[in-house]
Amino acid sequence: MKIVIAKTAGFCMGVRRAVDMVLDASTRYQEPIFTCGPLIHNPQVLQMLEEKKIFRIEKIPEKGSGIVLIRAHGVPPEDQAALKNAGFTVINATCPRVLRVQVIINRYAKKGHAVIIAGDEDHPEVVGLLGYTRGKGYAVDSMEALLALPIFENAIVVAQTTQNLSFYEGIKSWCRSNAPHYRIFDTICGSTEKRQTEIRRLAEENDAVVVVGGKESGNTRRLAEIAAGAGKPTVHIEDASEIDYESLSRAKTIALTAGASTPNWIITDTYRKIENHLQKQNAVKAGLYFLRDFLLKTNLLASAGAGSLTYACSKLQGNDQNFHHAWIAMLYVLSMQILNNLFAIRSDRYNHPKRALFYKENRTYLWILAVLSGGAGLYLSFLTGAVSFLILLVMSLLGLSYNLKIIPKPLGKGRIASIKDIPGSKTILIVIAWGTVTCLLPAVADPGNLMSVGVAFLFATGLVFGRTAFFDILAIQGDRITGKETLPILIGEKKSFNIIKYTLIFEIGLVLAANLSDLLANNAFVLAFIPSSMFLLIRFFEKDRLVSGEHREFVVEFLLISTGLLGAVI
Ligand code: SF4
């Protein structure tokens, strides 16, 4: 059984922009923030926004204060004026592609043209568009509705940006034959077009289709209609809890897609749930997947990666090996990762529901494990010397205070209350912490050639940066909404990908050059295999060729563990 995720599944540009704008406003302004109607048709995101004190207004009051954000669908011009007159500051997050349709309508309505809109008259985008037609707008949601209209002397024809392509083709073709003087505009959004074309193809190639997204979302419903129209069993769900596995039981391949307002973590969660359900049919596979998930959730895999990297850094420098520092790194990383996951149960409910549930159900055991491993790490570092102990103690305290509100109000200007609120902090702090335990602590206890230490440090931090920033890119939507400050949120996905790739290329060159100049142990060049593999993984991901779901996290974590395996042959 195979599950194929549509490349076009999830947030479109307009929705992502509107979500980003409202989240930016919530961190920038102290005033109350509202959205004019629901920001997007997705119950989970709406609940999350309410928890961030971003509420919605359904009816414009006569008087009000605060900030109102106009969502991607847009509003009629009179609503925008009414919001301003009521006393609100308006932020217009209308999608630029919807704005383009509003401009076209406005231009022709001014000249007295009638405006025919292929769309549902109750859909918020169409309501907004009708507002620009100066009373000469007609929404048609069927050929019958179009045929019921008179032939106008002057008219333009546009479509709701998420309209069904073939329906609009029918409208256009009728107009060309029966009212050739009408001006027709292609206003279906490219993102909608691609999404519909892809699901049509996927529905033909696969045995069943799962469409994830709000039941109120017109574009999601349309995807389900197209898939069902191809004659394949189609399930439209809002989240993974609604899947009817019975209807998918005979499918050998399943296509998974999602509407423009479905966050990527809901898509990933649905993928994982279907994958888990399917694996139950094969005991060996089910056992292996359970083990993989357990190792990932408990952070044992990440911890083993830290230990392996410490060992590899030591071997790179040609040191005699004992595993003391590898143990310290493992125990520190295990403790910090578990504690951070325990502190993040509330926000993880949305973007990592499985992990949040695991940490909630096993809270006591995980607290004990975190405290014991943290304590054991400190004890081992104490055995190596007071300086190592102090460094690890400071790092542990920093790690513990990451989520706590320790920054005074005047210093953080009211917006930055804890270390986690500092832009980019999550990615950068993890890299510094890992670099310190994997490379600097061993160097403090046993100082060697400073240049070799420096090269090993750059090697370790570069790999950890690649791993962490890649995971942060995968979680960018959830992190953004739940308020975690990662590098991809600060500088964007594209730049983050580029920085990761340049860092990995630098790593490869660094290991090879340092090996040639005898700064590192003989055969150290074999470790260039790890950044090379990570580079390829990132390229595969960018080209949508990387395995989905938890496999990719496992593969990346396993790469760090492989540094230890390769270190053994140096
Ligand atoms: S579907 Fe297209 S037009 Fe609609 S909000 Fe998204 S990007 Fe904008």
Side-chain angles (χ1 to χ4, degrees):
M1 174 82 72
K2 200 170 130 206
I3 312 163
V4 183
I5 301 185
K7 290 192 178 97
T8 51
F11 277 4
C12 64
M13 173 275 291
V15 168
R16 185 191 297 231
R17 180 173 168 273
V19 172
D20 283 352
M21 282 172 84
V22 81
L23 292 172
D24 280 344
S26 76
T27 51
R28 194 172 308 154
Y29 302 107
Q30 303 294 331
E31 296 102 307
I33 298 187
F34 306 92
T35 61
C36 195
L39 184 64
I40 57 175
H41 290 135
N42 183 281
Q44 289 92 339
V45 175
L46 293 180
Q47 192 184 341
M48 223 184 279
L49 292 176
E50 278 183 17
E51 288 186 13
K52 289 179 89 69
K53 309 255 179 296
I54 299 170
F55 298 103
R56 59 183 139 143
I57 45 172
E58 301 294 353
K59 199 166 171 284
I60 302 171
E62 279 185 16
K63 286 234 165 303
S65 64
I67 291 161
V68 176
L69 182 124
I70 293 174
R71 56 190 170 165
H73 294 316
V75 293
E78 53 273 21
D79 283 8
Q80 203 165 328
L83 284 167
K84 283 185 185 154
N85 292 339
F88 293 108
T89 304
V90 176
I91 297 180
N92 193 349
T94 306
C95 173
R97 291 172 188 165
V98 177
L99 273 176
R100 175 182 163 251
V101 193
Q102 291 177 350
V103 170
I104 293 173
I105 293 176
N106 195 32
R107 190 163 74 228
Y108 284 91
K110 260 192 204 163
K111 295 185 201 165
H113 284 53
V115 178
I116 299 170
I117 304 171
D120 314 325
E121 69 176 331
D122 296 330
H123 189 280
E125 180 188 323
V126 178
V127 173
L129 295 179
L130 284 168
Y132 287 86
T133 61
R134 300 176 184 233
K136 287 184 141 194
Y138 305 90
V140 293
D141 59 1
S142 63
M143 283 310 287
E144 292 72 42
L146 177 69
L147 296 179
L149 293 177
I151 300 283
F152 300 102
E153 198 179 322
N154 287 306
I156 62 164
V157 185
V158 296
Q160 181 186 332
T161 54
T162 50
Q163 190 49 264
N164 187 315
L165 275 173
S166 42
F167 169 60
Y168 193 45
E169 281 307 320
I171 298 255
K172 288 196 305 189
S173 147
W174 185 92
C175 290
R176 278 191 210 106
S177 312
N178 299 285
H181 60 291
Y182 284 5
R183 283 211 64 175
I184 300 171
F185 291 89
D186 283 321
T187 55
I188 294 185
C189 159
S191 144
T192 310
E193 234 177 279
K194 282 191 200 138
R195 213 177 284 263
Q196 293 182 2
T197 308
E198 188 184 23
I199 197 56
R200 205 165 280 122
R201 178 179 59 76
L202 287 176
E204 276 162 20
E205 292 171 359
N206 294 279
D207 302 326
V209 179
V210 176
V211 182
V212 197
K215 297 270 164 68
E216 298 296 313
S217 158
N219 79 83
T220 313
R221 281 203 311 263
R222 240 160 253 132
L223 290 175
E225 282 161 19
I226 291 171
K232 296 294 166 67
T234 301
V235 190
H236 177 179
I237 52 169
E238 284 199 343
D239 63 48
S241 64
E242 296 176 5
I243 302 176
D244 170 17
Y245 292 104
E246 190 50 42
S247 58
L248 302 174
S249 59
R250 265 184 257 130
K252 288 209 174 71
T253 57
I254 298 171
L256 174 63
T257 190
S261 49
T262 309
N264 64 2
W265 71 85
I266 295 181
I267 303 168
T268 311
D269 186 46
T270 306
Y271 175 92
R272 286 171 181 160
K273 291 240 167 77
I274 301 176
E275 187 191 46
N276 281 351
H277 180 82
L278 300 176
Q279 279 140 24
K280 280 187 196 143
Q281 295 156 5
N282 179 327
V284 179
K285 256 190 174 181
L288 287 174
Y289 279 72
F290 175 82
L291 183 66
R292 178 203 65 186
D293 289 354
F294 181 78
L295 293 174
L296 281 170
K297 276 186 299 201
T298 50
N299 292 298
L300 284 168
L301 217 53
S303 152
S308 297
L309 197 54
T310 311
Y311 172 76
C313 285
S314 176
K315 292 286 284 185
L316 269 179
Q317 298 167 67
N319 292 343
D320 283 344
Q321 197 37 239
N322 73 53
F323 290 99
H324 195 87
H325 289 291
W327 274 107
I328 295 175
M330 280 176 72
L331 291 165
Y332 170 78
V333 166
L334 184 64
S335 170
M336 288 300 118
Q337 295 273 121
I338 292 179
L339 285 173
N340 271 315
N341 290 156
L342 280 166
F343 285 128
I345 290 177
R346 234 173 98 76
S347 53
D348 278 355
R349 266 179 312 159
Y350 300 109
N351 51 345
H352 293 288
K354 228 163 109 181
R355 185 169 79 191
L357 188 66
F358 177 77
Y359 274 78
K360 200 171 160 203
E361 285 176 349
N362 302 288
R363 198 190 297 251
T364 313
Y365 304 114
L366 289 162
W367 266 107
I368 294 171
L369 182 59
V371 171
L372 285 181
S373 52
L378 282 169
Y379 173 69
L380 288 183
S381 71
F382 178 72
L383 295 181
T384 63
V387 180
S388 295
F389 173 75
L390 275 176
I391 294 175
L392 197 67
L393 182 65
V394 169
M395 286 193 357
S396 303
L397 292 174
L398 270 177
L400 275 174
S401 56
Y402 177 72
N403 289 285
L404 304 179
K405 296 188 173 167
I406 52 168
I407 299 178
K409 264 194 178 172
L411 211 63
K413 294 185 180 157
R415 299 200 304 269
I416 297 177
S418 57
I419 302 175
K420 93 171 171 43
D421 300 330
I422 300 171
S425 57
K426 183 176 163 230
T427 319
I428 293 159
L429 287 179
I430 289 178
V431 172
I432 294 173
W434 279 54
T436 307
V437 286
T438 57
C439 209
L440 296 187
L441 277 189
V444 167
D446 183 13
N449 179 333
L450 266 186
M451 289 288 280
S452 305
V453 173
V455 172
F457 179 76
L458 288 176
F459 175 74
T461 48
L463 279 185
V464 175
F465 173 74
R467 163 207 179 265
T468 310
F470 178 56
F471 288 168
D472 288 342
I473 290 173
L474 295 181
I476 191 167
Q477 283 178 10
D479 283 347
R480 182 114 176 79
I481 291 181
T482 52
K484 289 180 191 158
E485 292 291 347
T486 63
L487 193 73
I489 288 173
L490 184 66
I491 62 171
E493 261 175 70
K494 205 164 170 230
K495 280 190 189 152
S496 301
F497 268 129
N498 286 340
I499 295 179
I500 296 175
K501 285 185 290 185
Y502 292 137
T503 305
L504 294 171
I505 292 171
F506 172 75
E507 294 264 284
I508 300 165
L510 179 77
V511 172
L512 297 180
N515 198 184
L516 280 176
S517 54
D518 288 337
L519 269 177
L520 298 179
N522 290 339
N523 302 331
F525 67 90
V526 294
L527 273 164
F529 174 75
I530 304 295
S532 312
S533 307
M534 203 179 270
F535 181 88
L536 285 178
L537 272 177
I538 305 281
R539 289 294 297 140
F540 278 139
F541 179 80
E542 282 184 301
K543 288 177 178 283
D544 282 315
R545 293 214 203 113
L546 191 59
V547 285
S548 310
E550 261 140 321
H551 288 317
R552 53 195 176 194
E553 282 156 49
F554 182 82
V555 172
V556 174
E557 296 290 27
F558 189 74
L559 272 182
L560 285 199
I561 295 177
S562 305
T563 54
L565 302 176
L566 286 180
V569 302
I570 293 176

